[in-house]
Amino acid sequence: MHFLYIFFFALVICAYILYNKWINVEDFDEMLKPHSSSGSGIGVGCIVEINFCSSSYRGHAVTMKHMLEASFPGIHVALGNHPPPLLKRVLSKVITIFQLGVIVIIMGGEHIFPQLGYMTPPHWYHSLRANRYGTIASTWFFGNFIQSHLQNSGAFEVICNGDLIFSKLMEDRFPSEFEVRELVSTKLANLTVFGGNGREIWS
C-alpha cells in the first residue's frame, strides 16, 4: 500500500513537469493570431512573422506586434516560438527524466531495488535517503536552472512576406522598434511598386 502512494506521488510530479516543460506553444500562438482586416489600410497584403525565444522575449514580441499593427493598419502579424537546437531539446528532456528518476528512487527505493535484483539498496542510496527532502529540492531547482538555459534559443527572427528581414541569431543584437518599422516599411514600399507576381506596376 505504501508503494502505491509513492507511485501516485511520482505520477503527479510527472504530470506537473510535463505540463510546465512540454506544453505546446500553439496555445500561446492561438491567443496572438492576427485579427482579420477589413480590406483597407496601408498594411493590407503584408504578413509579418516574429519567431522568438518564448522563455525570454515574449513581452518584446507582443510589443512589436502592437507597434506594427498600429503603424500599418491591416497588416497581419503572427507570433511563434523559435525552438532551440535539437540537441538542447533532447538534453532538456533527459534532465526532466533524471529529475523524475531521482524522486522515484528516493521515495520508493526499498521497493524498487529488490525488483531489480538487489536485496539491499546500494550505499549511495542511504546517503541520499538520509537527506531526501534536500536531495529532491536540489535536484528539482538545479535541473530547472539547467533547463532554463537549454530552452533559451536566443532568437528574435522577423520575416516579412516570406523574406527574413532581421535575425538576432545572425546580427547578435536585439532590434529596436524603429528599425523593425523601417524594415517593414521598405517591404511595403516594394509591395506597392511591384505587383504580387513581381512585375512593376509603375515607375
Side-chain angles (χ1 to χ4, degrees):
M1 194 67 174
H2 179 65
F3 181 72
L4 291 178
Y5 287 126
I6 296 173
F7 182 72
F8 178 76
F9 175 78
L11 286 179
V12 171
I13 295 295
C14 179
Y16 176 80
I17 293 178
L18 291 177
Y19 177 79
N20 285 278
K21 302 298 182 185
W22 296 353
I23 186 169
N24 199 311
V25 77
E26 289 178 357
D27 296 336
F28 171 64
D29 293 340
E30 191 68 27
M31 296 185 296
L32 299 176
K33 283 182 178 178
H35 301 291
S36 58
S37 62
S38 59
S40 61
I42 190 175
V44 171
C46 183
I47 300 175
V48 175
E49 302 172 46
I50 302 178
N51 299 322
F52 59 97
C53 175
S54 60
S55 63
S56 301
Y57 303 130
R58 179 173 299 188
H60 293 290
V62 173
T63 300
M64 289 286 187
K65 171 183 169 68
H66 293 162
M67 179 273 294
L68 291 174
E69 290 176 341
S71 301
F72 309 103
I75 196 171
H76 283 197
V77 182
L79 305 185
N81 178 52
H82 190 286
L86 177 61
L87 179 60
K88 286 189 174 182
R89 297 201 301 270
V90 172
L91 289 177
S92 178
K93 289 176 172 52
V94 169
I95 290 176
T96 299
I97 296 173
F98 175 76
Q99 288 176 303
L100 289 174
V102 170
I103 294 173
V104 171
I105 288 175
I106 290 178
M107 300 302 296
E110 298 92 341
H111 303 277
I112 295 175
F113 285 108
Q115 297 181 14
L116 296 177
Y118 298 93
M119 297 309 297
T120 58
H123 178 72
W124 57 264
Y125 169 76
H126 296 289
S127 300
L128 296 178
R129 179 75 176 182
N131 187 25
R132 56 182 176 179
Y133 296 113
T135 301
I136 291 175
S138 299
T139 302
W140 181 268
F141 289 112
F142 186 66
N144 288 350
F145 175 77
I146 296 177
Q147 283 186 332
S148 67
H149 288 278
L150 292 175
Q151 294 173 353
N152 188 350
S153 64
F156 197 90
E157 317 299 292
V158 183
I159 303 169
C160 185
N161 288 341
D163 296 327
L164 182 66
I165 60 176
F166 185 88
S167 171
K168 181 179 179 295
L169 294 178
M170 295 191 329
E171 298 287 341
D172 197 26
R173 62 182 178 84
F174 199 85
S176 65
E177 292 186 27
F178 174 79
E179 183 178 10
V180 173
R181 183 166 57 245
E182 288 299 307
L183 290 170
V184 173
S185 179
T186 301
K187 293 293 293 185
L188 281 173
N190 293 335
L191 185 65
T192 302
V193 175
F194 295 94
N197 55 7
R199 292 177 299 181
E200 189 173 353
I201 59 178
W202 60 270
S203 60

